Amino acid sequence: MQKLRQLIINPGSTSTKIAVFEDEKVLFEKTLRHTTEELVGFERVSDQYEFRMNIILDALKENGIELSSLSAIVGRGGLLKPIEGGTYNINDLMYEDLKVGVSGEHASNLGGMIAYSIANAQNIPSFIVDPVVVDEFDDIARISGHPLFDRKSIFHALNQKAVARRAASELSKKYEELNLIVVHLGGGVSVGAHKMGRVVDVNNALDGDGPFSPERSGSLPIGAVVKACFSGKYTQQEIAKMIKGNGGLNAYLNTNDAKSVSEMAESGDKKAKLVYDAMAYQVAKSIGECAVVLDGNVDGIVITGGIAYSKPFVEYISNKVKFISKIFVYPGEDELLALAQGGIRVLRGEEKAKVYK
């Protein structure tokens, strides 16, 4: 079988991670860091496009990576219109939507833009894979309780889908043949019900419902939130920061470092232990909710993300939910590999690239 070489581009707010994969083996990987001074002159995120692309091209040249050796280029999917999961060919419409920020501005928008431009110059395909806007909700999951506030699908789609496929492989099944509950434990926490290859329900991990996390409040008692909003004590920006940034572990313990909180709990800090256990408790409750969504027919529970390295945290969750199904634990996240795997599936004909419309 012919080896496939792909360039992977994953932009963050102050860095751009790039890698060259030959099939699933890393040939080259580098994090290109961008200083505040370098970025301050760009009014919009999309304005950074040529600046970041040129740095990527220089890094490849310096390390002897010939663009002519590439089979495809895969960029991190950005804030597009809601789409179903999968690998998408980057087309003119997607490029424009990323450029204008059709669903908001984020550094990840640059991934698709840069991949498209470099690939077009080489006459090779360019892809994005499972962006955060993946929306495969059943209609019933959109109903919140008031028509002004629809529930939205915003979650760690790339990593959730990648580890779901990994678990499916261990079960000797296809992802599309299984019902799985996938838990991503990071700065934000998302718990998704994967029904035969579709995430039919998941909490809004950006700034909405679900378990609290190291820096997000998750679901809060809504009446108390309304009173705080109109108390005159806080600005809208301060309330927003309570929900995302200064919520969760940060709010209770003045740190968003879950590892530090775990160490505090193990050393006898009772408050740290209570809060840390409460975070695991809420995750376990959300797993139970997803089991209901899947009618109790659950082939596996998959736990991933940085906090999955914490044995006490994973054990707390596992003890609560092991009656539901077999548990798979894949600590950390490897977005570069997940992006490469999405491109490989299309290049090998295992999947058909989807069209953004």
Side-chain angles (χ1 to χ4, degrees):
M1 187 181 295
Q2 181 185 359
K3 291 187 180 297
L4 301 170
R5 185 174 288 195
Q6 298 181 100
L7 168 63
I8 313 300
I9 303 170
N10 187 6
S13 57
T14 59
S15 66
T16 305
K17 294 180 181 178
I18 61 171
V20 175
F21 280 78
E22 191 165 82
D23 293 337
E24 295 186 12
K25 179 184 177 183
V26 178
L27 299 181
F28 166 74
E29 184 176 349
K30 188 167 187 178
T31 298
L32 307 170
R33 305 200 179 277
H34 316 303
T35 66
T36 303
E37 291 74 22
E38 287 176 320
L39 299 179
V40 72
F42 297 106
E43 186 175 341
R44 299 180 65 242
V45 169
S46 59
D47 295 338
Q48 300 174 21
Y49 148 72
E50 284 193 15
F51 164 74
R52 293 214 197 194
M53 182 170 67
N54 289 333
I55 289 176
I56 291 170
L57 293 172
D58 288 344
L60 295 173
K61 187 175 181 179
E62 287 170 12
N63 288 275
I65 307 294
E66 297 288 343
L67 295 178
S68 59
S69 70
L70 300 175
S71 306
I73 302 177
V74 186
R76 184 77 167 97
L79 296 177
L80 295 159
K81 292 175 287 194
I83 54 177
E84 67 178 9
T87 299
Y88 284 76
N89 276 314
I90 305 174
N91 55 22
D92 288 344
L93 175 60
M94 182 184 292
Y95 177 92
E96 286 302 318
D97 279 358
L98 291 170
K99 184 178 179 180
V100 302
V102 67
S103 292
E105 290 198 54
H106 190 271
S108 59
N109 291 14
L110 295 165
M113 294 173 63
I114 295 169
Y116 187 57
S117 295
I118 298 176
N120 279 356
Q122 297 298 313
N123 198 28
I124 56 175
S126 57
F127 307 115
I128 66 160
V129 183
D130 291 326
V132 294
V133 292
V134 165
D135 184 347
E136 299 168 335
F137 269 13
D138 287 339
D139 285 343
I140 199 167
R142 301 185 192 281
I143 305 299
S144 66
H146 193 287
L148 283 180
F149 310 107
D150 281 349
R151 294 187 64 241
K152 297 185 183 299
S153 177
I154 301 176
F155 69 110
H156 307 90
L158 180 64
N159 193 42
Q160 280 215 18
K161 293 261 187 181
V163 295
R165 291 180 185 280
R166 185 172 167 183
S169 179
E170 284 201 38
L171 291 167
S172 300
K173 296 271 191 177
K174 291 183 178 179
Y175 168 54
E176 294 79 10
E177 297 173 340
L178 296 171
N179 286 346
L180 300 167
I181 298 169
V182 184
V183 182
H184 178 101
L185 303 171
V189 171
S190 58
V191 184
H194 295 235
K195 185 177 184 179
M196 304 296 173
R198 298 178 65 82
V199 185
V200 296
D201 203 344
V202 67
N203 63 292
N204 179 337
L206 182 62
D207 56 5
D209 51 4
F212 73 84
S213 76
E215 54 188 33
R216 293 172 193 170
S217 295
S219 298
L220 294 171
I222 193 65
V225 174
V226 171
K227 287 180 181 178
C229 288
F230 289 91
S231 67
K233 295 179 181 178
Y234 312 103
T235 65
Q236 180 179 337
Q237 187 177 11
E238 286 169 337
I239 293 286
K241 198 69 175 175
M242 286 181 195
I243 293 169
K244 183 177 68 174
N246 288 339
L249 297 184
N250 232 354
Y252 285 104
L253 300 166
N254 297 314
T255 178
N256 63 0
D257 185 348
K259 187 172 183 292
S260 295
V261 174
S262 177
E263 290 169 353
M264 290 161 62
E266 288 178 18
S267 67
D269 186 321
K270 291 183 179 179
K271 181 180 179 182
K273 178 169 174 50
L274 177 62
V275 174
Y276 198 58
D277 285 353
M279 187 165 71
Y281 172 84
Q282 289 196 4
V283 172
K285 279 207 303 183
S286 291
I287 292 171
E289 291 175 358
C290 285
V292 171
V293 170
L294 298 172
D295 302 316
N297 179 19
V298 183
D299 297 297
I301 298 167
V302 187
I303 301 176
T304 185
I307 303 175
Y309 283 110
S310 170
K311 288 183 179 179
F313 196 85
V314 172
E315 283 177 4
Y316 187 102
I317 295 170
S318 299
N319 287 336
K320 290 281 188 187
V321 304
K322 61 187 177 184
F323 73 95
I324 297 172
S325 187
K326 179 180 174 65
I327 297 169
F328 301 84
V329 182
Y330 306 129
E333 58 181 306
D334 195 338
E335 292 181 335
L336 295 174
L337 175 60
L339 291 167
Q341 289 170 332
I344 287 170
R345 289 193 295 272
V346 168
L347 294 173
R348 287 183 179 162
E350 297 168 8
E351 277 183 23
K352 187 175 181 181
K354 295 180 178 178
V355 179
Y356 182 75
K357 299 176 182 178

